[in-house]
Amino acid sequence: MAETPDIATRAPESDAQETPASPAVAEKSIFPGDTPAQSGPSMGEHCTTVRPSPNGEVPTGDLSKLGGIDVYIAKPSDYPHSPSKLLLLLTGGTGLKSVNNQLQADKYASEGFLVVMPDQFNGDPAPNSVDMTEIKETSSWLEKGKLMFAEGVKSLLIDEWLARHTADKILPILHKVIEGAREEFADAVANGGGIYGVGYCLGAKYILILAGDQSDPETEAPKDEEQGPAKKEPLLKAGAIAHGTMVLKEELEGIKAPVYIVAVKDDPLLPEEELLNPARTTLEKKGVEHQVQVFSDVPHGFAVLGDYTEPKIVQAQAQAYGEMLGWIKGH
């Protein structure tokens, strides 16, 4: 795949947002507004803030329900007359109603995938008290003070939001959607030999989980007290993620399906040394197909569709999409 001098291709590594980044790294910000939304590494500003849509584009998919869960569905223009493959798209904190997320789903649909994007936050997207358009250089100390206060308030709101949306809440939603999709779009699942997945920011965490060993507490009883729940095969045939957040080391090292990882250099939300590098070693030993692409000089969250003016981000966003698309198409 094509590379640029600022972008290095590396094998996957491991995740440990449990380990705080050093102050020097955590405070580094290449672009205005690219700061953790909390005092500790968890969610990035670019993952929780809705940016203007590129070129005034309008989504073409439909809001519907699968398994009783609200979903956005984007279909190829010639479906069902031509075969398609099923793609599960999991968003960052901006959620189902974000126009940019819907446009992202439409882009994958235009490449032949039947895209299902669930409301994994159950109608409760991340708080958005700071608008990116307000984050700019200003000579007024009063305006700067107001912005800093607003960012502080958002940090507290994000803390509360994350506490409401933990794995035990999100995974049952995803299981319902997957089962509903298997029934509703059995032709697409069969045509692709399974379900594919892409995830951004917090959604990336759940793509990794679904691409790994699965144990569903609602359907799997423990074999015995020592062995615990019976393990399942991955629910995804292959996956691709961009700038994951809240990812755990065991989630990265537990991957079983082929996964492509887009990461950001010096990103405290998905650190290379603590998470990605150890995971790479584990996955190589296990013989799991994987690849990591590390982008430099772009903010965490850069791959989420949105209207950017910085040429480097525009270029990197297009390349990340192309690499992720190429990976799932190739598997």
Side-chain angles (χ1 to χ4, degrees):
M1 287 176 282
E3 296 181 28
T4 69
D6 296 292
I7 300 171
T9 302
R10 308 182 183 182
E13 316 155 26
S14 124
D15 236 328
Q17 101 252 344
E18 304 271 318
T19 306
S22 65
V25 174
E27 292 174 4
K28 181 179 179 181
S29 178
I30 300 172
F31 295 94
D34 182 35
T35 56
Q38 301 192 136
S39 57
S42 57
M43 294 284 285
E45 183 66 52
H46 286 69
C47 297
T48 60
T49 301
V50 177
R51 297 188 61 84
S53 299
N55 304 319
E57 296 176 36
V58 178
T60 57
D62 299 302
L63 290 172
S64 184
K65 283 185 181 291
L66 281 177
I69 306 299
D70 288 334
V71 295
Y72 178 83
I73 298 177
K75 302 176 182 178
S77 58
D78 54 358
Y79 178 83
H81 304 295
S82 295
S84 181
K85 297 179 181 180
L86 189 71
L87 176 67
L88 180 71
L89 192 160
L90 303 183
T91 73
T94 49
L96 180 74
K97 298 295 180 66
S98 162
V99 170
N100 286 334
N101 291 337
Q102 294 179 0
L103 290 174
Q104 191 99 62
D106 291 349
K107 287 187 67 175
Y108 285 106
S110 71
E111 294 291 337
F113 288 93
L114 193 160
V115 185
V116 173
M117 185 173 73
D119 180 12
Q120 71 252 36
F121 307 124
N122 197 27
D124 179 32
N128 184 37
S129 58
V130 178
D131 192 313
M132 288 294 292
T133 58
E134 297 177 3
I135 300 178
K136 57 182 180 294
E137 291 298 325
T138 174
S139 58
S140 169
W141 65 266
L142 180 58
E143 290 179 8
K144 288 182 179 179
K146 288 180 179 178
L147 181 57
M148 290 176 64
F149 175 76
E151 289 177 334
V153 170
K154 183 172 183 178
S155 296
L156 296 175
L157 293 175
I158 290 292
D159 282 337
E160 296 175 354
W161 182 79
L162 286 170
R164 294 196 300 273
H165 298 288
T166 51
D168 62 327
K169 301 291 196 310
I170 292 178
L171 282 173
I173 291 174
L174 298 182
H175 288 144
K176 290 177 182 177
V177 170
I178 288 172
E179 287 307 309
R182 282 174 171 163
E183 181 176 346
E184 181 78 14
F185 304 113
D187 59 328
V189 176
N191 183 59
I195 298 174
Y196 297 82
V198 293
Y200 296 83
C201 300
L202 188 57
K205 171 186 175 74
Y206 293 95
I207 291 297
L208 295 179
I209 293 174
L210 297 175
D213 290 325
Q214 289 299 301
S215 78
D216 184 349
E218 293 186 354
T219 59
E220 293 286 351
K223 293 180 179 178
D224 57 47
E225 292 184 0
E226 293 183 359
Q227 289 183 311
K231 293 293 183 180
K232 291 183 176 181
E233 287 302 307
L235 294 179
L236 299 180
K237 182 177 180 180
I241 69 167
H243 38 69
T245 188
M246 302 297 288
V247 176
L248 301 178
K249 180 180 180 181
E250 54 265 31
E251 292 163 356
L252 272 167
E253 296 184 344
I255 295 170
K256 295 180 69 177
V259 169
Y260 188 91
I261 299 174
V262 168
V264 175
K265 188 172 179 60
D266 297 326
D267 183 0
L269 302 180
L270 189 62
E272 293 182 60
E273 292 302 318
E274 295 90 340
L275 290 181
L276 290 177
N277 289 333
R280 175 184 60 192
T281 301
T282 298
L283 294 174
E284 287 174 348
K285 288 180 179 178
K286 291 166 60 177
V288 177
E289 187 180 359
H290 62 283
Q291 189 172 343
V292 169
Q293 184 93 345
V294 180
F295 287 75
S296 301
D297 302 325
V298 293
H300 178 98
F302 79 94
V304 176
L305 197 66
D307 186 18
Y308 284 98
T309 58
E310 298 89 344
K312 181 175 287 292
I313 301 181
V314 174
Q315 176 188 352
Q317 186 179 97
Q319 181 173 347
Y321 168 73
E323 302 286 9
M324 293 170 70
L325 176 65
W327 181 266
I328 57 176
K329 275 191 169 184
H331 290 81

